Amino acid sequence: MKILIFFLNLLDFINKKKVINFFKKEISSINFFVDVGAHEGETSNLFNKYLSIKKIYCFEPSPINYENLKKKIAKKENIFLFNFGLGDRDGEEDFNQLEESSSSTLVELNQKSKYFQKKKKILNLFIKKNFKIFSQTVNIMKLKNFMHNNSIEYIDILKIDTEGYEMKVIKGAEEKIKNIDYIYFEHHFDDMLKKNYTLTDVHNYLVKNGFEKKLKIKMFFRKSFEYVYENQKSN
């Protein structure tokens, strides 16, 4: 299992470097980098290594993932960890925790989907116990309210990898979206996640709020892409 995860992380690193190189050309220094769905700190650690960032805020609602995040994130004075998620309201949500923790999500899983069944078979080859999903209640907050509570006026990069919850994170910024320079997010095209929105919905919402698509990268071995949108009104 560790070998499989290492291999996938290596492939993801190739894509992450492309994103990092894009931002290197676009931004000389970053004041605020917000990592929503920080998982175990993979993205934040890489960005902090290759880019000049004043503050990194990592959000991870899962208690299990959060404990691993605390262990694996670089011990840097510019990194701050929060054990709650961001969404389109303040309150609580049911969180679906998977043994393959990077696929854990705040949305409902379609366990009858071909993608889910395929993933389950592959993982069961490496996990000695049965592939499990269990639900727990976690806290969420609107990004707008977090920015207000912490006196954050602008965000340079908002990174979102929340396994089908991205649209709610974006909408939670409300009018503060105009104060975000770049939104960097992942979108799944498989049928495993019951998102209740499409990429077109995300695209139209961002364009309506003054954003333009700048980067699109296909993820290896998955029906998923990474996108970067830039706020044209902030330029």
Side-chain angles (χ1 to χ4, degrees):
M1 183 63 180
K2 290 182 179 179
I3 295 173
L4 176 63
I5 292 174
F6 173 81
F7 179 66
L8 288 175
N9 286 342
L10 181 62
L11 294 177
D12 286 345
F13 173 76
I14 295 172
N15 281 348
K16 287 287 189 292
K17 280 290 289 180
K18 293 178 183 178
V19 178
I20 288 168
N21 289 335
F22 167 82
F23 284 121
K24 275 186 175 180
K25 295 177 182 177
E26 297 292 320
I27 315 175
S28 57
S29 62
I30 300 166
N31 287 320
F32 288 101
F33 177 82
V34 175
D35 186 351
V36 186
H39 189 236
E40 297 179 357
E42 299 91 337
T43 300
S44 285
N45 278 332
L46 275 177
F47 274 57
N48 204 34
K49 180 178 180 179
Y50 292 104
L51 297 169
S52 175
I53 305 177
K54 184 177 179 181
K55 288 184 179 180
I56 296 176
Y57 291 156
C58 296
F59 295 87
E60 178 50 57
S62 161
I64 293 174
N65 295 354
Y66 184 74
E67 287 304 312
N68 290 327
L69 173 64
K70 289 195 295 184
K71 294 174 184 176
K72 295 187 179 183
I73 196 74
K75 300 299 187 293
K76 302 285 186 180
E77 291 183 356
N78 67 326
I79 300 179
F80 303 86
L81 309 182
F82 302 90
N83 189 197
F84 58 88
L86 296 182
D88 60 350
R89 64 185 181 87
D90 292 352
E92 295 180 337
E93 284 275 20
D94 290 331
F95 185 87
N96 292 304
Q97 181 77 44
L98 280 71
E99 291 201 42
E100 191 272 297
S101 61
S102 64
S103 295
S104 300
T105 176
L106 282 159
V107 304
E108 187 180 350
L109 291 160
N110 179 9
Q111 298 186 41
K112 294 182 180 180
S113 68
K114 291 181 180 179
Y115 189 82
F116 180 88
Q117 293 299 324
K118 180 180 179 181
K119 190 169 192 174
K120 182 178 179 180
K121 287 180 181 178
I122 292 172
L123 290 173
N124 278 340
L125 294 174
F126 299 93
I127 300 175
K128 293 182 180 180
K129 45 192 174 181
N130 291 330
F131 185 73
K132 294 179 182 177
I133 301 172
F134 65 91
S135 182
Q136 56 192 319
T137 302
V138 300
N139 294 317
I140 59 167
M141 177 186 286
K142 289 195 294 187
L143 177 57
K144 170 191 172 181
N145 292 342
F146 179 83
M147 291 175 70
H148 174 76
N149 294 344
N150 291 273
S151 301
I152 299 171
E153 197 62 34
Y154 288 93
I155 292 173
D156 296 271
I157 301 172
L158 172 63
K159 170 264 179 182
I160 315 170
D161 181 2
T162 51
E163 304 296 308
Y165 205 72
E166 287 79 9
M167 188 65 169
K168 290 192 175 184
V169 176
I170 292 170
K171 285 188 172 181
E174 296 186 358
E175 74 275 7
K176 290 287 188 180
I177 195 170
K178 69 181 185 296
N179 295 344
I180 301 172
D181 287 341
Y182 293 91
I183 297 180
Y184 160 41
F185 66 94
E186 183 179 306
H187 184 83
H188 295 258
F189 287 92
D190 59 78
D191 57 351
M192 185 179 83
L193 300 169
K194 295 184 178 181
K195 301 189 295 290
N196 298 319
Y197 67 85
T198 66
L199 177 64
T200 299
D201 295 328
V202 180
H203 174 81
N204 290 342
Y205 186 85
L206 291 176
V207 169
K208 180 182 177 181
N209 283 280
F211 284 79
E212 181 181 319
K213 182 170 67 178
K214 291 295 183 179
L215 191 66
K216 173 183 176 181
I217 299 175
K218 172 75 168 66
M219 299 182 74
F220 293 99
F221 302 116
R222 280 158 284 183
K223 295 180 179 179
S224 304
F225 288 80
E226 291 184 304
Y227 297 88
V228 176
Y229 278 70
E230 181 184 23
N231 187 347
Q232 301 302 296
K233 293 179 181 178
S234 66
N235 295 331

